[in-house]
Amino acid sequence: MMHQKMTAITALEHSVEIKAVSKTFGAFHAVNNVSLPIRAGEFVTLLGPSGCGKTTLLNMVAGFIDPSAGAIHIGGVDVTNVPVHLRDTGMVFQSYALFPHMNVFDNVAFGLRQRKFSKSEVTRKVMQTIEMMKLSGMEGRRISQLSGGQQQRVALARAIAIQPKVLLLDEPLSALDKSLRAQMQVELIEMHRNTGLTTIFVTHDQGEALSLSDRIVVMNRGQIQQVAEPIDLYSNPANGFVASFIGEINALPAAIYQASDREISLAIGDIRMTAPRRPEWKFGSGEMVKAFVRPEHVRMATSADAGSNVVTGEVLTHIYQGSHTITRLRIDGLGPIEMRLPGGDVVGRVPVGMPAQIAFDLSQVILLADNPN
Amino acid sequence: MTRQRPFFVQFLVPAVLVAVIFAAAMFNVLKYSFLEFVPGSLNVGGFTLENFTRINRPIYYWVLLDTFILSFATAFFALLLSYPISFALVRAERNWVRSVLVVLAITPLFTGEIVRTYSWMLVLGSDGVVNTALKSLGVIDRSVPIMYTRVGVVIALVQFAMPVMIILLATAISQINRDCEKAAANLGATPNTVFWWVTIPLTLPGILSGFVVVFAWTMSAFSTPQLIGGGKVLMISNVVYLQGFSSFNLPFAAVLSLVALFAALGSLALMKLLTARLEQNMATS
Ligand SMILES: Nc1ncnc2c1ncn2[C@@H]1O[C@H](COP(=O)(O)OP(=O)(O)OP(=O)(O)O)[C@@H](O)[C@H]1O
Ligand SMILES: [Mg+2]
């Protein structure tokens, strides 16, 4: 593989630093005091609901939008006032934005030609990138003669051909259908491994974020909520927003009535339970908190479960999903709770309308302060 | 079809009427072109092919060529002048700039052709605005002739054609995927390169259709060359007029009209072919 690690050596010098950047439109804070250092070669994902400022932040890194405050450094250099065409970033647009009047080769060659490479150098680099993006044989095709997935690959090839200091991907997969998206995710991972490019990836698809990223930046209303590795984000959300945004979760109001160094005892409605204390929990006795329990951490109670952790609820629905079944129950004083049971477990299913005894996986309960943010 | 659109037939009536009347008129022109001219009379004689042989004279070729050249020049300069205006019209950040440009660009459409042409006569005449200004600036010391020249005619024709050109170009420019321009800049293209290598090619279909429309339109220009050209600049319509309404040679006027019509149709077809290929290439899936 001749293209392997083609930028590995130079990539070490490159990194991006977003320093206290804000962007206001009128009185509206689209991006609010965001700071984010990105290591060279890292794959970082900006994740958040629609309108949270992901595209705005990415556009500020690329130079399409000037920050209202703060600074952006690329490769150790302050580029806040450097125009777009001198920033050396590679952006892939949601609309691909391929040049319809050029063929695949010329699209991929565009950035290289701006950099005044010799003709043979351009050809060599273009063919190398085209090969890496599995587009060999399509160099002469018009953009209109390509499928959506192929256009996507051309867009990526065009951006990585120039070996930018940072690759910026704004929801590049959102226009593809589900199976193609899964395939492109794999190719993105391979591309990143092959090129070692520092990458900022924007998505509002948490699954995509969890499977692709070295680190995920969760944003909401223009602000960073949490920056963490995927596993950490899922098992250790920093606040209620992150907990509910990443994966499914039951949010239950809880009161702490006893707190020791090792255990915390909670009352969730009428239910009393004791969970092992996590070091980051600073709550004391008498405090109101939110208890978050993922559906996969709720199960049917067995005789082994301690009485205090067992809750009786009424089964509302079963939603069969192949590999698993989502069961919704109503528990008096708490409202609905979702649990996730392995798919083949049809025999043991409690019929709808009947009471079922469930238990929480107490070591997995997440407690967070009971404020909106 | 008709069941889904109950008014379809009724809605077609006016169009069909216009088409029928137009076809009848064209048929008459065709008929006249084969009839004998009787000097000193508005009546025509029997069948003849003489009108068609009569056209085989240098003067008529020159008029046709002149018409082509003037139309081409008009389309070209209208394009050159309209593009920046259309661009500003679409891209201006401030609403009021856009509004002002729209008003300036479109209002000429609502002043009559004759009024506009007379205004140009005032501007271009030997004591007109242009000459007076140039003289007082010391650029020239004697009036340069603009009236009754091809330059004068083209100037007036360009202004006449610009509103249409601006509208067509503005439509094309507003339909560009601006991410393409952003992508080019992102890949290192200077604003200049972006304009010439992305913006212009992406608006090429609009540029071509604007050019074709103005070209075909100018081919049939009459009052502007008549008044500004003052008989010294002849376009095909002026010759048709001379033949038909000065010499009352209606059969020959009919032949000239047909020639003009087919010349216009021919060039339109040619340009259409060009644009069709371009559009096919530019189409995104
Ligand atoms: N030019 C602008 N003028 C005014 N408001 C803007 C402008 N651009 C963006 N905004 C606002 O800023 C907020 C953030 O926009 P942005 O496009 O960054 O969101 P996003 O996170 O990319 O959302 P999505 O997932 O829908 O793409 C939105 O509320 C948007 O309406
Ligand atoms: Mg966006």
Side-chain angles (χ1 to χ4, degrees), chain A residues 85 89 91 95 101 115 144 151, chain B residues 179 185-187 189 197 283 285:
Chain A
H85 66 280
T89 68
M91 183 131 172
S95 66
H101 55 296
R115 282 163 178 71
S144 54
Q151 292 188 15
Chain B
D179 281 350
N186 175 255
L187 290 165
W197 290 90
S285 55

Side-chain angles (χ1 to χ4, degrees), chain A residues 50-51 53-56 59 94 170-171 202 204:
Chain A
S50 188
K54 308 180 293 289
T55 299
T56 307
N59 276 322
Q94 197 173 344
D170 192 358
E171 307 206 30
V202 165
H204 55 237

Side-chain angles (χ1 to χ4, degrees), chain B residues 159-179:
Chain B
Q159 192 256 345
F160 189 52
M162 275 180 64
V164 171
M165 186 68 102
I166 289 171
I167 291 169
L168 288 169
L169 289 177
T171 311
I173 293 167
S174 66
Q175 279 168 355
I176 294 183
N177 175 6
R178 293 203 63 183
D179 281 350

Side-chain angles (χ1 to χ4, degrees), chain B residues 176-194:
Chain B
I176 294 183
N177 175 6
R178 293 203 63 183
D179 281 350
C180 283
E181 294 171 314
K182 288 170 76 179
N186 175 255
L187 290 165
T190 60
N192 226 338
T193 310
V194 173

